[in-house]
Amino acid sequence: RKEVEQDPGPFNVPEGATVAFNCTYSNSASQSFFWYRQDCRKEPKLLMSVYSSGNEDGRFTAQLNRASQYISLLIRDSKLSDSATYLCVDYGGSQGNLIFGKGTKLSVKP
Amino acid sequence: DAGVTQSPTHLIKTRGQHVTLRCSPISGHKSVSWYQQVLGQGPQFIFQYYEKEERGRGNFPDRFSARQFPNYSSELNVNALLLGDSALYLCASSLGLASGGETQYFGPGTRLLVL
């Protein structure tokens, strides 16, 4: 069974902190990965894709380590508005479906 | 442009009843996928439809069925509801077949409570 594992947290950090989340995936053949953000009682929204070479979008950096089959998300200079659940996603479902982790909850405090 | 829309937003049913959930994809998108998200879990794949045909099915019982209409909107039907069917049901649309790596955009979901 193809799975994605994440630390559920919660991660409680002060504003301005740097925080990192990791997740592991079981399907070594998977090619595409994403981080989605989900606010309380809302739908998941695409945060960023994850590329083998690593990619950065403002304060967010995503990394993929194929050898160890893990993905990371680094958030620098945390804002109160970053408080949400971050879902690690493997796009390697056998039917073109997304495989979600359970999510990591982040709470940024003033 | 409107995003993915779903109706109803909330629904309360009792065990044994039947429910129909509806989804309209982003204009121009031809693929619709359905996911179930139970509290505290990540979304789980139920179905994918592309060009009105079922292209994928997750590990859900036959009580769950779906279809896609000529205008690419979709319905998810659940028969003989169980308490465990209480969840947020999410619809995601993509331009093409999701197995091609198309980005999937989620609607706001339908929150179903089974009593």
Side-chain angles (χ1 to χ4, degrees):
Chain A
R1 179 178 171 177
K2 300 170 185 175
E3 294 182 339
V4 174
E5 301 287 339
Q6 289 183 256
D7 180 347
F11 284 62
N12 297 308
V13 303
E15 267 188 295
T18 296
V19 61
F21 308 136
N22 292 327
C23 86
T24 58
Y25 60 94
S26 63
N27 184 12
S28 59
S30 291
Q31 297 293 315
S32 300
F33 303 91
F34 303 91
W35 284 99
Y36 274 73
R37 171 196 167 125
Q38 187 171 28
D39 293 292
C40 187
R41 303 183 72 80
K42 299 285 189 179
E43 73 274 23
K45 291 187 177 178
L46 180 64
L47 179 66
M48 59 195 303
S49 302
V50 184
Y51 301 119
S52 295
S53 55
N55 48 300
E56 189 173 307
D57 183 2
R59 297 181 293 107
F60 299 83
T61 300
Q63 296 274 356
L64 167 62
N65 184 318
R66 289 194 184 277
S68 301
Q69 292 183 213
Y70 81 78
I71 302 151
S72 65
L73 177 68
L74 182 76
I75 305 175
R76 292 180 298 278
D77 189 23
S78 299
K79 312 291 186 190
L80 296 177
S81 58
D82 293 334
S83 297
T85 294
Y86 291 82
L87 297 161
C88 179
V89 183
D90 173 3
Y91 209 149
S94 59
Q95 301 178 76
N97 54 291
L98 302 174
I99 303 170
F100 286 85
K102 293 183 179 181
T104 297
K105 186 173 182 179
L106 172 65
S107 181
V108 182
K109 306 291 187 183
Chain B
D1 283 341
V4 179
T5 59
Q6 292 186 243
S7 64
T9 56
H10 296 80
L11 204 51
I12 299 175
K13 292 285 189 178
T14 56
R15 281 177 297 177
Q17 285 190 309
H18 159 269
V19 67
T20 297
L21 310 181
R22 296 177 175 84
C23 170
S24 291
I26 293 170
S27 178
H29 283 197
K30 298 182 178 181
S31 178
V32 169
S33 297
W34 287 95
Y35 291 80
Q36 180 198 63
Q37 186 174 23
V38 174
L39 194 63
Q41 303 290 318
Q44 296 292 314
F45 172 68
I46 310 175
F47 287 111
Q48 182 187 176
Y49 277 77
Y50 176 71
E51 290 284 14
K52 302 178 286 295
E53 291 187 5
E54 182 184 305
R55 296 301 190 101
R57 172 185 284 255
N59 188 25
F60 280 80
D62 291 343
R63 299 185 296 108
F64 288 76
S65 63
R67 55 180 175 168
Q68 187 177 32
F69 299 100
N71 67 352
Y72 302 107
S73 67
S74 178
E75 284 183 353
L76 175 69
N77 295 283
V78 187
N79 293 323
L81 284 167
L82 303 174
L83 296 180
D85 295 330
S86 296
L88 178 67
Y89 288 85
L90 295 159
C91 172
S93 83
S94 58
L95 193 61
L97 193 60
S99 60
E102 297 279 349
T103 298
Q104 295 190 32
Y105 299 90
F106 284 86
T110 293
R111 197 165 296 276
L112 172 64
L113 177 62
V114 182
L115 301 176

